[in-house]
Amino acid sequence: TVVPGRPDDGEGEGTFFVKDIYRGLREQGVEPGQVARLRVMEVLPKKYNTEGPRYRDHYPVIGHGSYYVKRNLGSVPVRADGSVCFQAPAKRELYFIALDAAGKEVQRMGSVTQITPGEQVACIGCHENRLSTPPVAAQPLHDLPAPDALEPPAWGTAVDYIQQVQPILDRHCVSCHSGPSPKAKLDLSGDRTRMFCMSYTNLTLRNLVDYYYINPGPTGVFPALKTGSQVSKLTARIESKHGGSELSDEERRTVYAWIDADAPYYSTWEMSRPHWLGGRDTWTQPPDATPQPWFANVLAIIAARKLPASGIVHYYTGNNTWSLDQILVNYTHPEWSGLLLDNLSERAGGHAPAATAIFPNREDADYQRLLEAIRQGAEALRAKPRMDLPGAVPIPQARDFGRVF
């Protein structure tokens, strides 16, 4: 419908109508009735220029997957005939996710859309063939059904890993998967790492969740039933007898929603460390990504004792910033850092066989120096908290999107 005159300057809402959500999904094996709801996601506009050093092309970094800060505005039901009609906020950057009855992603929209106040927008299906046309008897826009209102999730609209996902892991997983010797060597605690926390770093860099990193990501339509929570290893664990039955329905849906948002970590563009690597780094500092003094001591001990930590040694080069070696430094419990325990003799409480241990005991001088250096790193983080920690103070940058970043 063409709204006469200029759009209202206020926020307002517009109406979206989908004639048949299965038109385009049937061809991919989605059965009628398989899509229960349609989720509406918002991509929040970037707040500052990309003028600091990038972490895997992100500045500021939001996570290993999503480039963007996102909001989960809620979902609406898909009707028996496959139609969907709902109102959504105007003047926002939106995209949609089709969900099954369990709240898992059936298909994700790979582009975005907007609507103006009072506008009505319709489509004939969900990723239907772009060369197809609507049926002759398509529903006229002046005769739409009453639109449904978005039902926001119980856990809130901001997609925030520490606030939403970590508490679930704390309740159900960390009793086994945390501490100095986590089960299966998988630490799912909220102990902080270089950019994120132990659980986030492990889940993403060990490919336990399905997510897309934008540069090598797909350029076509997202395939139905083959992305996000639908195929993640974490989902299989949640749905197995491996303690998954202990998660409530709401907890499961919370985890699935985080995965399907493309696994972001931060829920804000704000930075307490502008011009540091990725706007979040804790190992290096401006202006040239030079090691912080404590981290320089760590690098010196690694070199002197030939500790196996290539991802730390090459901390500022290329893809090495994505190294799982990030989890070798534990700011919350420095004494549990893998850089210490993985090289400490089993006889002394470490993980290394006595014959190959680099540190024979905890009294080793370099062991003590390394522990003290990591403790100093933890203190430096407490003194200047990141945005995922209490007490963080955002520092604004200049904003001028008209110039080259």
Side-chain angles (χ1 to χ4, degrees):
T1 299
V2 177
V3 179
R6 297 186 60 180
D8 186 353
D9 288 336
E11 291 297 319
E13 291 184 322
T15 301
F16 286 98
F17 174 67
V18 183
K19 175 64 178 176
D20 179 7
I21 201 167
Y22 296 102
R23 189 177 174 91
L25 296 184
R26 291 188 188 90
E27 296 83 346
Q28 299 183 67
V30 178
E31 299 291 336
Q34 195 168 353
V35 182
R37 301 186 70 84
L38 187 70
R39 174 177 294 145
V40 178
M41 298 291 296
E42 179 183 3
V43 178
L44 298 186
K46 191 172 182 182
K47 194 165 185 178
Y48 300 118
N49 290 52
T50 299
E51 59 180 24
R54 303 183 187 192
Y55 171 85
R56 288 293 287 184
D57 204 35
H58 292 221
Y59 182 85
V61 61
I62 302 304
H64 282 138
S66 177
Y67 259 46
Y68 307 105
V69 175
K70 296 181 178 179
R71 295 177 66 205
N72 181 344
L73 298 183
S75 64
V76 290
V78 174
R79 304 177 190 200
D81 63 355
S83 67
V84 188
C85 190
F86 62 95
Q87 290 185 317
K91 302 179 180 179
R92 310 281 187 90
E93 192 169 347
L94 308 174
Y95 71 95
F96 311 135
I97 302 176
L99 305 172
D100 66 15
K104 293 184 292 186
E105 178 172 277
V106 174
Q107 188 170 48
R108 184 186 315 173
M109 179 176 168
S111 57
V112 293
T113 189
Q114 304 86 26
I115 200 166
T116 57
E119 185 181 10
Q120 294 178 326
V121 174
C123 62
I124 62 172
C126 188
H127 287 295
E128 72 281 358
N129 189 306
R130 65 187 178 86
L131 299 179
S132 65
T133 57
V136 174
Q139 182 128 15
L141 286 178
H142 60 75
D143 189 28
L144 294 182
D148 292 305
L150 292 174
E151 297 178 26
W155 56 87
T157 58
V159 184
D160 188 296
Y161 181 86
I162 286 295
Q163 297 298 320
Q164 295 164 0
V165 180
Q166 189 58 52
I168 297 172
L169 302 178
D170 290 343
R171 288 191 291 270
H172 299 285
C173 306
V174 300
S175 59
C176 294
H177 295 284
S178 66
S181 300
K183 189 174 182 179
K185 297 182 179 180
L186 178 63
D187 190 340
L188 295 179
S189 74
D191 289 2
R192 296 312 198 263
T193 59
R194 179 185 187 181
M195 300 269 187
F196 310 107
C197 73
M198 286 288 175
S199 63
Y200 183 85
T201 307
N202 274 299
L203 289 174
T204 54
L205 295 191
R206 290 186 174 180
N207 297 317
L208 297 178
V209 296
D210 180 77
Y211 63 93
Y212 288 91
Y213 166 56
I214 195 168
N215 277 355
T219 56
V221 172
F222 283 90
L225 301 172
K226 294 181 180 179
T227 58
S229 59
Q230 200 71 233
V231 296
S232 287
K233 295 177 183 178
L234 180 60
T235 300
R237 298 299 274 179
I238 287 174
E239 295 178 344
S240 72
K241 294 181 180 180
H242 181 75
S245 59
E246 298 175 6
L247 270 67
S248 68
D249 181 65
E250 182 179 305
E251 288 174 326
R252 292 186 184 206
R253 291 174 184 272
T254 302
V255 174
Y256 300 156
W258 163 69
I259 296 173
D260 296 336
D262 207 25
Y265 181 81
Y266 291 96
S267 62
T268 179
W269 291 113
E270 298 286 9
M271 294 169 279
S272 60
R273 296 165 177 260
H275 302 288
W276 295 51
L277 182 64
R280 320 283 190 191
D281 196 21
T282 54
W283 290 2
T284 66
Q285 59 191 35
D288 302 314
T290 54
Q292 290 200 66
W294 71 268
F295 187 59
N297 292 336
V298 169
L299 292 173
I301 296 167
I302 289 175
R305 297 300 292 268
K306 295 182 172 56
L307 302 183
S310 60
I312 291 179
V313 172
H314 301 291
Y315 62 94
Y316 52 82
T317 59
N319 292 350
N320 287 315
T321 52
W322 250 30
S323 168
L324 193 58
D325 279 3
Q326 289 187 44
I327 66 172
L328 295 179
V329 174
N330 186 324
Y331 290 121
T332 308
H333 295 96
E335 68 278 9
W336 293 352
S337 294
L339 201 53
L340 293 165
L341 294 181
D342 290 352
N343 298 296
L344 178 65
S345 170
E346 291 174 333
R347 295 174 182 173
H351 304 154
T356 59
I358 295 174
F359 302 129
N361 52 59
R362 296 176 190 268
E363 288 69 44
D364 182 279
D366 283 334
Y367 177 95
Q368 288 296 320
R369 291 190 190 100
L370 187 56
L371 175 58
E372 177 56 27
I374 296 173
R375 283 174 173 163
Q376 290 174 3
E379 181 57 38
L381 179 57
R382 285 191 292 269
K384 192 181 186 68
R386 283 191 318 231
M387 297 308 298
D388 60 330
L389 288 165
V393 178
I395 300 175
Q397 289 186 216
R399 178 174 180 172
D400 180 7
F401 291 117
R403 62 182 173 80
V404 177
F405 54 76

